[in-house]
Amino acid sequence: MKPAMKHIVISTVLCALTLAVFLAFYNRLPESIPVHFDSAGVANSFWPRNVVVFGVPVACVLLNLISGFTVSQKENAKPYMYYIMAVVAFVATGIMLYLGMK
């Protein structure tokens, strides 16, 4: 397996693991989770729990695949570049869980 493909597979698996994190907290999340706030800090947009729990990991996996294959086309791609989306996925998961349980 090419080094680029190895990095893409590993980072995609890491992005997919966010689903396990969401499922671990599924019962503690409300039916609707705030995803946008106005300038006063009041939530003004909500997503259903199932969209957050299943949709966010799927979106992260798709974005990771797109960015991974884009990075693999670069001649001077550094290995850490393949894992940026995985880090973003876990940060987004943490934020969504925090907002959902707040």
CSV table of all heavy atoms in Angstrom, one decimal, residues 67-100:
chain,number,residue,atom,x,y,z
A,67,SER,N,-10.2,15.6,0.9
A,67,SER,CA,-8.9,16.4,1.2
A,67,SER,C,-7.7,15.4,1.2
A,67,SER,O,-6.6,15.8,0.7
A,67,SER,CB,-9.0,17.0,2.6
A,67,SER,OG,-9.1,16.1,3.6
A,68,GLY,N,-7.9,14.2,1.6
A,68,GLY,CA,-6.8,13.2,1.5
A,68,GLY,C,-6.3,12.9,0.1
A,68,GLY,O,-5.1,12.9,-0.2
A,69,PHE,N,-7.2,12.8,-0.8
A,69,PHE,CA,-6.9,12.5,-2.2
A,69,PHE,C,-6.3,13.8,-2.9
A,69,PHE,O,-5.5,13.7,-3.7
A,69,PHE,CB,-8.0,11.9,-3.0
A,69,PHE,CG,-8.2,10.5,-2.7
A,69,PHE,CD1,-9.4,10.1,-2.0
A,69,PHE,CD2,-7.3,9.5,-2.9
A,69,PHE,CE1,-9.6,8.7,-1.7
A,69,PHE,CE2,-7.5,8.2,-2.6
A,69,PHE,CZ,-8.7,7.8,-2.0
A,70,THR,N,-6.8,14.9,-2.4
A,70,THR,CA,-6.2,16.2,-2.9
A,70,THR,C,-4.8,16.4,-2.5
A,70,THR,O,-3.9,16.7,-3.2
A,70,THR,CB,-7.1,17.4,-2.4
A,70,THR,OG1,-8.4,17.2,-2.9
A,70,THR,CG2,-6.6,18.7,-3.0
A,71,VAL,N,-4.5,16.1,-1.2
A,71,VAL,CA,-3.2,16.2,-0.6
A,71,VAL,C,-2.3,15.2,-1.3
A,71,VAL,O,-1.1,15.5,-1.6
A,71,VAL,CB,-3.2,16.0,0.9
A,71,VAL,CG1,-1.8,15.8,1.5
A,71,VAL,CG2,-3.9,17.2,1.6
A,72,SER,N,-2.8,14.0,-1.6
A,72,SER,CA,-1.9,13.0,-2.2
A,72,SER,C,-1.4,13.4,-3.6
A,72,SER,O,-0.4,12.8,-4.1
A,72,SER,CB,-2.6,11.6,-2.3
A,72,SER,OG,-3.7,11.7,-3.2
A,73,GLN,N,-2.0,14.4,-4.2
A,73,GLN,CA,-1.6,14.8,-5.5
A,73,GLN,C,-0.4,15.8,-5.4
A,73,GLN,O,0.2,16.0,-6.4
A,73,GLN,CB,-2.8,15.5,-6.3
A,73,GLN,CG,-4.0,14.6,-6.5
A,73,GLN,CD,-3.7,13.4,-7.3
A,73,GLN,OE1,-3.1,13.5,-8.3
A,73,GLN,NE2,-4.2,12.3,-6.8
A,74,LYS,N,-0.2,16.3,-4.3
A,74,LYS,CA,0.9,17.2,-4.1
A,74,LYS,C,2.3,16.5,-3.9
A,74,LYS,O,2.3,15.4,-3.2
A,74,LYS,CB,0.7,18.1,-2.8
A,74,LYS,CG,-0.6,18.8,-2.7
A,74,LYS,CD,-0.7,19.9,-3.6
A,74,LYS,CE,-2.0,20.6,-3.5
A,74,LYS,NZ,-2.2,21.6,-4.5
A,75,GLU,N,3.3,16.9,-4.5
A,75,GLU,CA,4.6,16.3,-4.5
A,75,GLU,C,5.2,16.4,-3.1
A,75,GLU,O,5.9,15.5,-2.7
A,75,GLU,CB,5.5,16.9,-5.5
A,75,GLU,CG,5.2,16.4,-7.0
A,75,GLU,CD,6.2,17.0,-7.9
A,75,GLU,OE1,7.3,17.3,-7.5
A,75,GLU,OE2,5.8,17.1,-9.1
A,76,ASN,N,5.1,17.5,-2.5
A,76,ASN,CA,5.7,17.7,-1.2
A,76,ASN,C,4.8,17.7,0.0
A,76,ASN,O,4.9,18.4,1.0
A,76,ASN,CB,6.4,19.1,-1.2
A,76,ASN,CG,5.5,20.2,-1.5
A,76,ASN,OD1,4.3,20.0,-1.9
A,76,ASN,ND2,5.9,21.5,-1.4
A,77,ALA,N,3.8,16.8,-0.1
A,77,ALA,CA,2.8,16.6,1.0
A,77,ALA,C,3.5,16.0,2.2
A,77,ALA,O,4.2,15.0,2.2
A,77,ALA,CB,1.7,15.8,0.5
A,78,LYS,N,3.2,16.7,3.4
A,78,LYS,CA,3.7,16.2,4.6
A,78,LYS,C,2.7,15.2,5.2
A,78,LYS,O,1.5,15.4,5.0
A,78,LYS,CB,4.0,17.3,5.6
A,78,LYS,CG,4.8,18.4,5.1
A,78,LYS,CD,6.3,18.0,5.0
A,78,LYS,CE,7.1,19.1,4.6
A,78,LYS,NZ,8.2,18.8,3.7
A,79,PRO,N,3.2,14.2,6.0
A,79,PRO,CA,2.2,13.2,6.5
A,79,PRO,C,1.2,13.8,7.4
A,79,PRO,O,0.0,13.4,7.4
A,79,PRO,CB,3.2,12.3,7.3
A,79,PRO,CG,4.5,12.4,6.7
A,79,PRO,CD,4.6,13.8,6.2
A,80,TYR,N,1.5,14.9,8.2
A,80,TYR,CA,0.5,15.4,9.1
A,80,TYR,C,-0.7,16.0,8.3
A,80,TYR,O,-1.8,16.2,8.9
A,80,TYR,CB,1.1,16.5,10.0
A,80,TYR,CG,1.6,17.8,9.3
A,80,TYR,CD1,0.7,18.8,9.1
A,80,TYR,CD2,2.9,17.9,8.9
A,80,TYR,CE1,1.0,19.9,8.5
A,80,TYR,CE2,3.3,19.1,8.3
A,80,TYR,CZ,2.3,20.1,8.0
A,80,TYR,OH,2.7,21.3,7.4
A,81,MET,N,-0.5,16.4,7.1
A,81,MET,CA,-1.6,17.0,6.3
A,81,MET,C,-2.8,16.1,6.1
A,81,MET,O,-3.9,16.5,6.0
A,81,MET,CB,-1.0,17.5,5.0
A,81,MET,CG,0.0,18.6,5.1
A,81,MET,SD,0.8,19.0,3.5
A,81,MET,CE,-0.5,20.0,2.8
A,82,TYR,N,-2.5,14.8,6.2
A,82,TYR,CA,-3.6,13.8,6.0
A,82,TYR,C,-4.5,13.7,7.3
A,82,TYR,O,-5.6,13.2,7.2
A,82,TYR,CB,-3.0,12.4,5.7
A,82,TYR,CG,-2.3,12.3,4.4
A,82,TYR,CD1,-1.0,12.4,4.3
A,82,TYR,CD2,-3.1,12.2,3.2
A,82,TYR,CE1,-0.3,12.4,3.0
A,82,TYR,CE2,-2.4,12.1,2.0
A,82,TYR,CZ,-1.1,12.2,1.9
A,82,TYR,OH,-0.5,12.1,0.7
A,83,TYR,N,-4.0,14.2,8.4
A,83,TYR,CA,-4.7,14.0,9.6
A,83,TYR,C,-5.4,15.3,10.1
A,83,TYR,O,-6.0,15.3,11.2
A,83,TYR,CB,-3.7,13.5,10.7
A,83,TYR,CG,-3.2,12.2,10.3
A,83,TYR,CD1,-1.9,12.1,9.7
A,83,TYR,CD2,-3.9,11.0,10.5
A,83,TYR,CE1,-1.4,10.9,9.3
A,83,TYR,CE2,-3.4,9.8,10.1
A,83,TYR,CZ,-2.2,9.7,9.5
A,83,TYR,OH,-1.7,8.5,9.1
A,84,ILE,N,-5.3,16.4,9.4
A,84,ILE,CA,-6.0,17.6,9.8
A,84,ILE,C,-7.5,17.4,9.9
A,84,ILE,O,-8.1,17.9,10.9
A,84,ILE,CB,-5.6,18.8,8.8
A,84,ILE,CG1,-4.1,19.1,8.9
A,84,ILE,CG2,-6.4,20.0,9.0
A,84,ILE,CD1,-3.6,20.1,7.9
A,85,MET,N,-8.1,16.8,8.9
A,85,MET,CA,-9.5,16.6,9.0
A,85,MET,C,-9.9,15.7,10.2
A,85,MET,O,-11.0,15.9,10.8
A,85,MET,CB,-10.1,16.0,7.7
A,85,MET,CG,-11.6,16.1,7.5
A,85,MET,SD,-12.2,17.7,7.6
A,85,MET,CE,-13.7,17.4,8.5
A,86,ALA,N,-9.1,14.7,10.5
A,86,ALA,CA,-9.4,13.9,11.7
A,86,ALA,C,-9.4,14.7,12.9
A,86,ALA,O,-10.3,14.5,13.8
A,86,ALA,CB,-8.4,12.7,11.7
A,87,VAL,N,-8.5,15.6,13.1
A,87,VAL,CA,-8.4,16.5,14.2
A,87,VAL,C,-9.7,17.4,14.3
A,87,VAL,O,-10.3,17.5,15.3
A,87,VAL,CB,-7.1,17.3,14.3
A,87,VAL,CG1,-7.2,18.4,15.3
A,87,VAL,CG2,-5.9,16.4,14.4
A,88,VAL,N,-10.0,17.9,13.1
A,88,VAL,CA,-11.2,18.8,13.0
A,88,VAL,C,-12.4,18.0,13.4
A,88,VAL,O,-13.3,18.5,14.1
A,88,VAL,CB,-11.3,19.4,11.6
A,88,VAL,CG1,-12.7,20.1,11.4
A,88,VAL,CG2,-10.2,20.4,11.3
A,89,ALA,N,-12.5,16.7,13.0
A,89,ALA,CA,-13.7,15.9,13.3
A,89,ALA,C,-13.8,15.7,14.8
A,89,ALA,O,-14.9,15.8,15.3
A,89,ALA,CB,-13.6,14.5,12.6
A,90,PHE,N,-12.7,15.4,15.5
A,90,PHE,CA,-12.8,15.2,16.9
A,90,PHE,C,-13.1,16.5,17.7
A,90,PHE,O,-13.8,16.5,18.6
A,90,PHE,CB,-11.5,14.6,17.5
A,90,PHE,CG,-11.6,13.1,17.3
A,90,PHE,CD1,-11.0,12.4,16.3
A,90,PHE,CD2,-12.3,12.3,18.3
A,90,PHE,CE1,-11.1,11.1,16.1
A,90,PHE,CE2,-12.4,10.9,18.2
A,90,PHE,CZ,-11.8,10.3,17.1
A,91,VAL,N,-12.6,17.7,17.2
A,91,VAL,CA,-12.9,18.9,17.8
A,91,VAL,C,-14.4,19.3,17.6
A,91,VAL,O,-15.1,19.7,18.5
A,91,VAL,CB,-12.0,20.1,17.2
A,91,VAL,CG1,-12.5,21.4,17.7
A,91,VAL,CG2,-10.5,19.8,17.6
A,92,ALA,N,-14.9,19.0,16.4
A,92,ALA,CA,-16.3,19.3,16.1
A,92,ALA,C,-17.2,18.4,17.0
A,92,ALA,O,-18.2,18.8,17.5
A,92,ALA,CB,-16.6,19.1,14.6
A,93,THR,N,-16.8,17.1,17.1
A,93,THR,CA,-17.5,16.2,18.0
A,93,THR,C,-17.6,16.7,19.4
A,93,THR,O,-18.6,16.7,20.0
A,93,THR,CB,-16.9,14.8,17.9
A,93,THR,OG1,-16.9,14.3,16.6
A,93,THR,CG2,-17.6,13.8,18.8
A,94,GLY,N,-16.4,17.1,19.9
A,94,GLY,CA,-16.4,17.7,21.3
A,94,GLY,C,-17.3,18.9,21.4
A,94,GLY,O,-18.0,19.0,22.4
A,95,ILE,N,-17.2,19.8,20.5
A,95,ILE,CA,-18.1,21.0,20.5
A,95,ILE,C,-19.5,20.6,20.5
A,95,ILE,O,-20.4,21.1,21.3
A,95,ILE,CB,-17.7,22.0,19.4
A,95,ILE,CG1,-16.3,22.5,19.7
A,95,ILE,CG2,-18.7,23.1,19.3
A,95,ILE,CD1,-15.8,23.3,18.5
A,96,MET,N,-19.9,19.7,19.6
A,96,MET,CA,-21.3,19.3,19.5
A,96,MET,C,-21.8,18.6,20.8
A,96,MET,O,-22.9,18.9,21.2
A,96,MET,CB,-21.5,18.4,18.3
A,96,MET,CG,-21.4,19.0,17.0
A,96,MET,SD,-22.7,20.1,16.6
A,96,MET,CE,-22.4,20.4,14.9
A,97,LEU,N,-21.0,17.8,21.4
A,97,LEU,CA,-21.3,17.1,22.6
A,97,LEU,C,-21.5,18.2,23.7
A,97,LEU,O,-22.4,18.1,24.5
A,97,LEU,CB,-20.3,16.1,23.0
A,97,LEU,CG,-20.3,14.8,22.1
A,97,LEU,CD1,-19.2,13.9,22.5
A,97,LEU,CD2,-21.7,14.1,22.3
A,98,TYR,N,-20.5,19.1,23.8
A,98,TYR,CA,-20.6,20.1,24.8
A,98,TYR,C,-21.9,21.0,24.7
A,98,TYR,O,-22.6,21.2,25.7
A,98,TYR,CB,-19.4,21.0,24.7
A,98,TYR,CG,-19.5,22.2,25.7
A,98,TYR,CD1,-19.3,22.1,27.0
A,98,TYR,CD2,-19.8,23.5,25.2
A,98,TYR,CE1,-19.3,23.2,27.9
A,98,TYR,CE2,-19.8,24.6,26.0
A,98,TYR,CZ,-19.6,24.4,27.3
A,98,TYR,OH,-19.7,25.5,28.2
A,99,LEU,N,-22.2,21.4,23.5
A,99,LEU,CA,-23.4,22.2,23.3
A,99,LEU,C,-24.7,21.4,23.5
A,99,LEU,O,-25.6,22.0,24.0
A,99,LEU,CB,-23.4,22.8,21.9
A,99,LEU,CG,-22.3,23.8,21.5
A,99,LEU,CD1,-22.3,24.2,20.1
A,99,LEU,CD2,-22.4,25.0,22.4
A,100,GLY,N,-24.6,20.1,23.2
A,100,GLY,CA,-25.8,19.3,23.3
A,100,GLY,C,-26.1,19.0,24.8
A,100,GLY,O,-27.3,18.8,25.2
